[in-house]
Amino acid sequence: MEDLGSDVDNAEHDEEFFSDIVSCLERYSEGDMSALEDIELDLEGTPPFFRAAWDACRTIPPGETRSYRWLAAEAGSPQAMRAAGQAMARNRFSLIIPCHRVISSDGGLGGYGGGGLGVKARLLQMELDRATSEGVP
């Protein structure tokens, strides 16, 4: 709460406010790979390129990956691979905007601020295993 500073000065405590999001996260952890798609985000004030990159990232199916080059193109700036990387690095919703599905063009994992490369690798493997077990290529 301290990190939020003045953003919470007029906030009201509502224990039920995030109950739908918690439910989606629980469904995802139990194997429902589409559960996170049900979470709506308020991205007001987000730079347009970041928003476009985050929206594109959310279209990557579970168990699949795309490159930063693909992400930049989908966000409308095909040459902006570094900016696509910055958008992923500044993503504060790392499961909901599944930046773990974005990798380098050479197949390397790239970076991952949502817990490090080990977490990124485990998330990708978990999704691939679940997608494969469900018959999704």
Side-chain angles (χ1 to χ4, degrees):
M1 293 298 288
E2 292 173 9
D3 290 343
L4 296 174
S6 63
D7 290 343
V8 296
D9 285 348
N10 296 315
E12 293 181 30
H13 183 73
D14 180 355
E15 292 183 18
E16 296 299 314
F17 188 80
F18 291 107
S19 62
D20 290 342
I21 294 172
V22 170
S23 174
C24 290
L25 291 169
E26 288 171 346
R27 288 180 16 231
Y28 174 80
S29 69
E30 293 167 357
D32 181 355
M33 295 289 98
S34 66
L36 301 179
E37 296 168 12
D38 295 338
I39 298 174
E40 293 184 34
L41 296 173
D42 179 359
L43 301 175
E44 185 177 330
T46 302
F49 179 80
F50 279 24
R51 184 179 190 130
W54 292 346
D55 287 344
C57 184
R58 289 191 83 181
T59 70
I60 304 170
E64 296 185 21
T65 59
R66 300 291 187 272
S67 69
Y68 292 100
R69 179 180 305 279
W70 175 90
L71 189 64
E74 289 296 304
S77 297
Q79 300 303 313
M81 286 87 65
R82 287 184 187 260
Q86 286 300 308
M88 296 301 100
R90 292 198 175 110
N91 170 18
R92 291 193 267 168
F93 308 102
S94 59
L95 279 177
I96 302 164
I97 300 172
C99 54
H100 60 279
R101 298 178 190 156
V102 182
I103 61 172
S104 299
S105 295
D106 65 3
L109 290 182
Y112 187 63
L117 292 180
V119 172
K120 182 174 186 170
R122 285 193 300 276
L123 285 169
L124 287 171
Q125 190 61 54
M126 177 191 73
E127 289 182 353
L128 181 61
D129 291 347
R130 288 185 177 158
T132 303
S133 72
E134 293 174 2
V136 178

